[in-house]
Amino acid sequence: MTSRLPQAKGGFNFDNHVRNSAMDGKGLVLPKATKTGTTIVGLIYKDGIVLGADTRATAGPIVADKNCEKIHYLAPNMYCCGAGTAADTEMTTALISSQLELHRLSTGRQARVVTAMTLLKQMLFKYQGQIGAALILGGVDVNGPHLYTIYPHGSTDKLPYVTMGSGSLAAMSVFESRFVADMEREEAITLVKDAIEAGIFNDLGSGSNVDVVVITSENVEVLRNYARPNERGVKEASYKYRPGTTRVLKSSIRDLVTKETIQPTSLEAMDTS
Amino acid sequence: MDHFPTNWGNPRSEDVDNYNTYPVASHIGKAPHSVTQIAGFGHAAGHPSTHTQQPVVTGTSVLGLKFKGGVIMAADNLASYGSLARFRDVERLHKVADFTVLGASGDMSDYQYVKHLLDTQMIREYNADDGNTLETPNIYEYLWRVMYNRRSKMNPLWNTFVLGGISQGKSFLGAIDLKGTPYQAPSIATGFGSHLAQPILRKELETRGGEENITEEDAVKILKDCMKVLFYRDARSMNKFQLAKITEQGVTISEPLSVETEWAFAEKIRGYGA
C-alpha cells in the first residue's frame, strides 16, 4: 500500500537529460555559460597557506569580466579558489560558507578545513558533475594548514601544492620547477605570483591581474590585485574635442526644477486621533 | 551479401546503396565508421574515400631552445602504443645534415617515412655535386611543403616536427605541424611541452633578455628542468632522453640521460581528506 504513495525524490532530477540529448542531436545550440577560464593555485609554506588566482572571466572567446574575484571567503580561517562555471563556483562557495557559519555557531568552535571539503564534495557528487565547480580549498585549523582540490564530480586530493583551471599546466610547470617544502612567506608569495603569471601570459583563458590570499594560524591577508602586469598604457595624445568644434546656433535654458514655497495657513496641531 | 541474419528484413537504408555509381546526396556529413569502409571493401561511389588516420605508435614532446652560438633540442626515447610504453629506445632526434637536426613527435611510422624522404633529398643534393648543400632553412621549406601538401590531400603525416640548425653563422629553430603550419621562434615545444615547457622557456628568454644571453650550460640546464617537469606531468613520457646540440662545430646528439626526480613530497599527507 505504501508503494502507491508518491515517493520523495532526493538528489538531482535527470528527467530532462533524455530530451536534452535528443535536441542536441538535432542541432540545438545551448547557451554558453560564463566560465572563469582561469589559473588558480595554492601551496603550503612554513606558516600556512598561500592561494593565488588570475582575474579574467570569459564567455566563450569574449572577456566578460576583466577583474573578477576568484578567491572566495568560506570562513575566517578558510578561503576557496574557484575555476569552471562562474555561477557554480560563486553559489557553491556561498552556500557552503553559510552552512559552515551555522555549524560554527552550533559547535562553538573554529571550523575545520576537512569539514568544508566534505560539505563541498558531498554536494558536488550529489549533482554528478552537472555543477561545474573545480575548487582549491585552503585553510588553517587546529590540526595545521590543509590544502585540497575538489573536482566537479566530487573527487578530492590532499596535496602540498596544487593548480586548477585552463592555465593549470602553465602554473604547475612553475611549481614543479621551484616548489620546496617550508618556504618563507616572501618566497612563497613570489612563487604563487610567478605561477599565476605563467597562466596569464601562456593561457588564453586567463589574464589581467594576480590576486593572492595568505592564511596563517594568526590571521588572513587578502591581497587583492597583488600584481597588475597588464595595466593599460597611457594614451600618447589627448583625443578630447576642443570646445567650439561644433558650432552652437541657438541656446535656450529652461529651469526644470519647480520652486515651491510653503505658507502655513493655521497654527493648529495635526489631529491624530 | 550481408551475412548477419539480424540485419535481414529491415527496410533498405537510403544512405547505403551498394549498386549506386553516383554519389548519394544523403552521405553528406556522415563520416565513414570503419576501417574496412575506408579501405573500400564493398563500398561504391556513394561514399567519399578518406585517408585521415589516427596516430598509432606515438612520440611525445620535442623541445628546442636557441642559445648564444647555436641551438639545443631535447626529446625522450619513448614511442608509446596508446597507453603502453612500447618502444623505450627510440631516437626521436635525427641528424639530417652536418648542421641540422630533425626532432619528431606524433606518429613514428610517418617520422620514419619522412626520414627516408629527407635522406633521398640529401642524396640527390650530393649527386648534383654543384658545390651547394641543403641548409637548415632549405630543409625546413621542403618539409613544410611536404606537410602542407599531404594535409591538402586530406592524408596528413601525423607529426609535429622540430627543425634546428645553424647556417652561415645564424641559428635556426622552427616547427611544422600536421596541418603544415610553420612556426619559427627562439623556443619551441610540441605536444604536452607546449603547455608545460613553453611557459618556462619563454620566461627564461624574457628574464635573460634574449637568446644571446643564454650560454650553452644555461640552455642545457633549462632543457633538463623542462624534461623533469614533463616527466612529472606528462603521462606518456619517460625519464630517459637525449639532447642534441648544434653549433658552428657541428651536431652532437648525446647519449641517453635522465634527471633526478623527487617523489616523497607528500610523505606526511595521509589519504585524500575523507
Side-chain angles (χ1 to χ4, degrees):
Chain A
M1 277 293 272
T2 47
S3 60
R4 291 199 184 279
L5 293 171
Q7 300 289 324
K9 272 191 179 167
F12 195 68
N13 186 344
F14 286 94
D15 288 347
N16 283 334
H17 181 70
V18 178
R19 177 205 75 174
N20 290 346
S21 34
M23 288 174 88
D24 194 36
K26 294 216 166 83
L28 168 77
V29 175
L30 290 168
K32 237 178 301 217
T34 301
K35 299 199 117 222
T36 53
T38 304
T39 310
I40 48 173
V41 305
L43 57 72
I44 300 184
Y45 78 108
K46 195 178 80 170
D47 301 326
I49 306 270
V50 181
L51 298 174
D54 75 304
T55 61
R56 175 183 282 187
T58 53
I62 300 166
V63 177
D65 189 342
K66 291 188 279 187
N67 202 189
C68 71
E69 274 200 64
K70 300 186 190 182
I71 308 185
H72 309 281
Y73 167 87
L74 273 186
N77 59 331
M78 268 185 251
Y79 277 74
C80 191
C81 305
T85 308
D88 288 343
T89 59
E90 192 65 56
M91 298 309 285
T92 305
T93 46
L95 181 68
I96 267 67
S97 171
S98 141
Q99 286 178 0
L100 273 175
E101 183 161 357
L102 291 171
H103 187 259
R104 226 177 13 257
L105 291 165
S106 162
T107 59
R109 294 178 170 89
Q110 184 196 55
R112 297 188 190 198
V113 187
V114 76
T115 311
M117 187 220 72
T118 307
L119 289 169
L120 285 163
K121 73 145 64 170
Q122 285 177 350
M123 179 194 162
L124 290 173
F125 182 76
K126 182 173 77 180
Y127 286 91
Q128 287 292 294
Q130 299 295 324
I131 295 186
L135 309 165
I136 292 182
L137 169 66
V140 181
D141 59 25
V142 284
N143 292 327
H146 302 276
L147 188 61
Y148 297 95
T149 52
I150 304 156
Y151 290 83
H153 284 263
S155 64
T156 55
D157 291 315
K158 190 175 199 295
L159 290 160
Y161 58 98
V162 290
T163 66
M164 297 279 264
S166 56
S168 63
L169 277 79
M172 187 49 89
S173 71
V174 174
F175 274 1
E176 289 287 23
S177 296
R178 288 160 50 189
F179 177 86
V180 279
D182 298 320
M183 276 185 283
E184 293 296 326
R185 190 196 127 97
E186 291 314 311
E187 216 188 336
I189 294 176
T190 305
L191 186 59
V192 161
K193 177 187 85 81
D194 285 348
I196 298 291
E197 281 189 352
I200 287 173
F201 292 117
N202 291 292
D203 172 45
L204 295 174
S206 312
S208 299
N209 316 119
V210 183
D211 284 350
V212 172
V213 168
V214 185
I215 310 174
T216 60
S217 52
E218 331 260 284
N219 69 341
V220 169
E221 270 183 80
V222 175
L223 303 166
R224 169 81 171 140
N225 288 2
Y226 175 76
R228 290 208 203 95
N230 285 305
E231 273 184 317
R232 169 184 269 188
V234 179
K235 282 205 171 87
E236 288 173 37
S238 168
Y239 298 92
K240 285 203 162 88
Y241 287 103
R242 166 190 62 78
T245 307
T246 308
R247 201 161 69 105
V248 178
L249 295 175
K250 188 169 71 166
S251 90
S252 85
I253 301 169
R254 238 177 317 159
D255 205 346
L256 293 172
V257 177
T258 48
K259 286 194 181 54
E260 278 179 358
T261 45
I262 300 167
Q263 279 168 338
T265 47
S266 70
L267 290 164
E268 280 169 17
M270 198 164 57
D271 183 0
T272 52
S273 53
Chain B
M1 182 199 156
D2 189 352
H3 297 271
F4 294 102
T6 44
N7 292 342
W8 302 340
N10 289 326
R12 190 171 75 109
S13 164
E14 277 298 297
D15 45 16
V16 178
D17 186 349
N18 288 323
Y19 301 102
N20 195 5
T21 48
Y22 300 94
V24 175
S26 57
H27 76 246
I28 293 165
K30 292 194 175 82
H33 53 75
S34 70
V35 174
T36 44
Q37 193 178 22
I38 296 166
F41 303 140
H43 110 263
H47 299 283
S49 67
T50 60
H51 311 279
T52 313
Q53 343 85 322
Q54 43 173 320
V56 182
V57 176
T58 54
T60 185
S61 338
V62 176
L63 310 178
L65 181 65
K66 282 191 189 175
F67 63 94
K68 186 177 168 67
V71 180
I72 189 162
M73 293 162 63
D76 66 20
N77 289 24
L78 177 65
S80 313
Y81 186 65
S83 62
L84 172 65
R86 182 77 181 81
F87 303 105
R88 298 162 63 95
D89 57 3
V90 171
E91 296 196 5
R92 299 194 291 118
L93 296 170
H94 174 65
K95 175 176 160 179
V96 181
D98 285 334
F99 296 96
T100 313
V101 171
L102 172 78
S105 63
D107 190 75
M108 288 290 101
S109 63
D110 284 344
Y111 163 51
Q112 289 171 351
Y113 171 67
V114 164
K115 270 201 286 193
H116 171 76
L117 278 182
L118 289 175
D119 278 346
T120 309
Q121 278 307 117
M122 298 311 289
I123 290 169
R124 272 219 189 112
E125 198 61 22
Y126 179 79
N127 285 346
D129 200 15
D130 55 4
N132 291 324
T133 45
L134 281 175
E135 302 280 321
T136 316
N138 311 132
I139 299 170
Y140 186 74
E141 168 115 13
Y142 172 74
L143 197 53
W144 163 54
R145 288 193 181 278
V146 167
M147 299 297 277
Y148 186 73
N149 264 290
R150 287 290 298 255
R151 159 262 189 211
S152 301
K153 290 191 281 189
M154 289 301 288
N155 185 8
L157 290 161
W158 210 287
N159 299 96
T160 307
F161 290 114
V162 179
L163 203 71
I166 221 170
S167 70
Q168 284 139 12
K170 280 196 349 148
S171 58
F172 180 98
L173 181 61
I176 308 164
D177 74 0
L178 76 168
K179 294 182 206 160
T181 319
Y183 175 66
Q184 288 180 50
S187 67
I188 293 281
T190 69
F192 252 93
S194 65
H195 294 104
L196 288 166
Q198 191 70 286
I200 299 175
L201 297 173
R202 284 180 179 163
K203 187 73 188 184
E204 290 287 345
L205 280 162
E206 189 197 314
T207 44
R208 286 163 207 262
E211 69 240 40
E212 287 306 309
N213 301 329
I214 303 181
T215 65
E216 188 183 304
E217 248 176 35
D218 287 341
V220 169
K221 184 174 164 305
I222 294 167
L223 280 194
K224 278 188 179 173
D225 190 37
C226 288
M227 294 307 281
K228 186 169 77 155
V229 174
L230 283 170
F231 179 58
Y232 279 143
R233 295 285 165 174
D234 178 1
R236 303 285 183 267
S237 64
M238 193 169 72
N239 193 7
K240 179 182 164 208
F241 60 95
Q242 288 173 295
L243 293 172
K245 192 175 49 188
I246 311 112
T247 57
E248 294 280 320
Q249 277 75 52
V251 169
T252 347
I253 300 184
S254 71
E255 285 302 298
L257 43 109
S258 58
V259 279
E260 298 252 315
T261 51
E262 219 256 274
W263 296 97
F265 60 94
E267 247 179 358
K268 297 199 194 81
I269 294 179
R270 283 276 168 277
Y272 51 93

